[in-house]
Amino acid sequence: MTYANSAQYADPIRLRLRRDPHAVQITLNGERVELEEPMSVTALLARLEIDPRRVAVEHNLNIIKRHRFAEVVVGDGDTVEIVNFVGGG
Amino acid sequence: MTDTPFVIAGRTFTSRLIVGTGKYSSNAVMAQAHQASGADMVTVAVRRVNISDRTRESLLDYIDTSRMFILPNTAGCYTADEAIRTARLGREAGLSEWVKLEVIGDERTLFPDNEALIEATRVLVKEGFIVLPYTNDDPIACRKLEDAGAAAVMPLGAPIGSGLGIQNVNNIRIIREFSRVPLIVDAGVGTASDAALAMELGADGVLMNTAIAGAEDPVAMADAMRHAVIAGRLAARAGRIPKKMYASASSPVEGMVGR
């Protein structure tokens, strides 16, 4: 089987990964998301246009304190949960 | 009649009515209802941020946090672990140690799982949380929660969102007798008289969401609930008359004209 044939059926995210060796795949709120490079929680929130003062972030099951958002780096294969308050009783 | 202040874990609240933030037709209506309720504590749920929704409208934009204390809940959690995880996330999002702890045992009734609830209470209290557990109207469960370090006990009046009113009046009375921590009737209230009854039974407060949010006019119902809780509290403290089988005339029996 040639490379071209297998590529036809491959996951587009994987193909993009081949083109960009720095790209990382993370699981964000249960969905697979690709980032062009590892980045801090602060950078990730900025990318998502989320106000860091109103959310809580869990990185690989560890809760990240807000004052550590800038130093914690999200890398390939990581799982991130970003939660906020919604209406409830 | 001056009342004793409503204090939970050292924090004083001006209102004995605690209201939710769910199920409103709009955030604007919710804000008006909150205002009318006079409440100074509101419950919120902890959920994933919707990554694809770029409007970024926040519930907190509609809550006057200078006046309202935010109580995150663990609604929808079915295990102690899930509830503990959610409580920790709520603490980070809200920067307070308080949690309305829910561990649900059954999807149709939304009745709490007592065993898991007590276990989660124990763990969270050790971590420094102020735990307000939503519990069955079971005096023994309430006692165990108190022993586990709960800052209040919050027995249900009836299933969440049912509007049935207080189903086991006697149990609420017994829980009142048993409890040394504040007793808050949480869930099941349908209308103002239900809230008044909860207070008359000796509850320190009432927590509700659907009764207000689901009313045809939520703002008017919030106002009604505010009055009901105040009236019920006053009545409880005033000391009601005993119930009797027969009439006892209110007007003098002497001095009747023509006799």
Side-chain angles (χ1 to χ4, degrees), chain A residues 28-30 47-50 53-56 58 61 63-66 81-89, chain B residues 20-22 43-49 51 54 56 58-59 61 73 85 88-90 92-95 100 209:
Chain A
L28 176 61
N29 285 2
R47 172 70 49 88
L48 296 167
E49 294 167 26
I50 292 172
R53 293 167 302 178
R54 289 190 166 174
V55 295
E58 202 187 63
L61 296 177
I63 288 174
I64 309 302
K65 296 270 177 204
R66 211 162 286 173
E81 294 282 347
I82 305 173
V83 302
N84 63 353
F85 290 146
V86 301
Chain B
T21 55
T43 56
V44 298
V46 179
R47 292 291 181 271
R48 281 171 167 168
V49 170
I51 300 295
R54 293 284 163 155
R56 292 282 170 262
S58 168
L59 176 73
D61 292 333
N73 70 27
R85 185 181 179 190
R88 289 173 182 155
L89 283 166
E92 288 309 308
L95 302 175
K100 171 184 162 178
N209 186 2

Side-chain angles (χ1 to χ4, degrees), chain B residues 29-222:
Chain B
V29 170
M30 178 192 76
Q32 277 179 274
H34 283 175
Q35 180 77 28
S37 75
D40 53 353
M41 173 152 51
V42 293
T43 56
V44 298
V46 179
R47 292 291 181 271
R48 281 171 167 168
V49 170
N50 185 351
I51 300 295
S52 49
D53 172 20
R54 293 284 163 155
T55 64
R56 292 282 170 262
E57 192 177 67
S58 168
L59 176 73
L60 294 179
D61 292 333
Y62 294 88
I63 298 172
D64 178 4
T65 47
S66 67
R67 213 174 69 80
M68 291 285 195
F69 184 73
I70 306 268
L71 181 65
N73 70 27
T74 63
C77 293
Y78 280 80
T79 64
D81 283 346
E82 223 180 352
I84 291 163
R85 185 181 179 190
T86 304
R88 289 173 182 155
L89 283 166
R91 170 162 67 179
E92 288 309 308
L95 302 175
S96 110
E97 314 285 319
W98 291 51
V99 62
K100 171 184 162 178
L101 186 63
E102 288 185 44
V103 187
I104 302 302
D106 173 68
E107 232 173 279
R108 251 174 79 201
T109 60
L110 297 178
F111 283 146
D113 178 332
N114 279 346
E115 198 183 352
L117 182 68
I118 294 163
E119 186 196 330
T121 299
R122 210 169 277 134
V123 171
L124 290 170
V125 166
K126 270 195 196 118
E127 291 183 17
F129 279 89
I130 307 294
V131 180
L132 284 66
Y134 156 72
T135 171
N136 283 302
D137 53 359
D138 172 358
I140 308 306
C142 287
R143 182 146 69 189
K144 288 185 177 179
L145 287 164
E146 193 178 320
D147 291 345
V153 287
M154 304 209 295
L156 54 86
I160 294 171
S162 69
L164 286 170
I166 297 172
Q167 294 296 288
N168 200 335
V169 164
N170 199 45
N171 273 25
I172 299 295
R173 272 203 198 101
I174 295 170
I175 292 166
R176 169 70 294 166
E177 272 199 36
F178 278 21
S179 300
R180 286 154 300 170
V181 293
L183 160 61
I184 297 160
V185 171
D186 177 7
V189 166
T191 188
S193 53
D194 299 332
L197 176 60
M199 298 306 291
E200 287 170 16
L201 293 172
D204 295 291
V206 182
L207 195 165
M208 65 182 75
N209 186 2
T210 310
I212 294 174
E216 276 183 39
D217 185 340
V219 181
M221 188 57 90

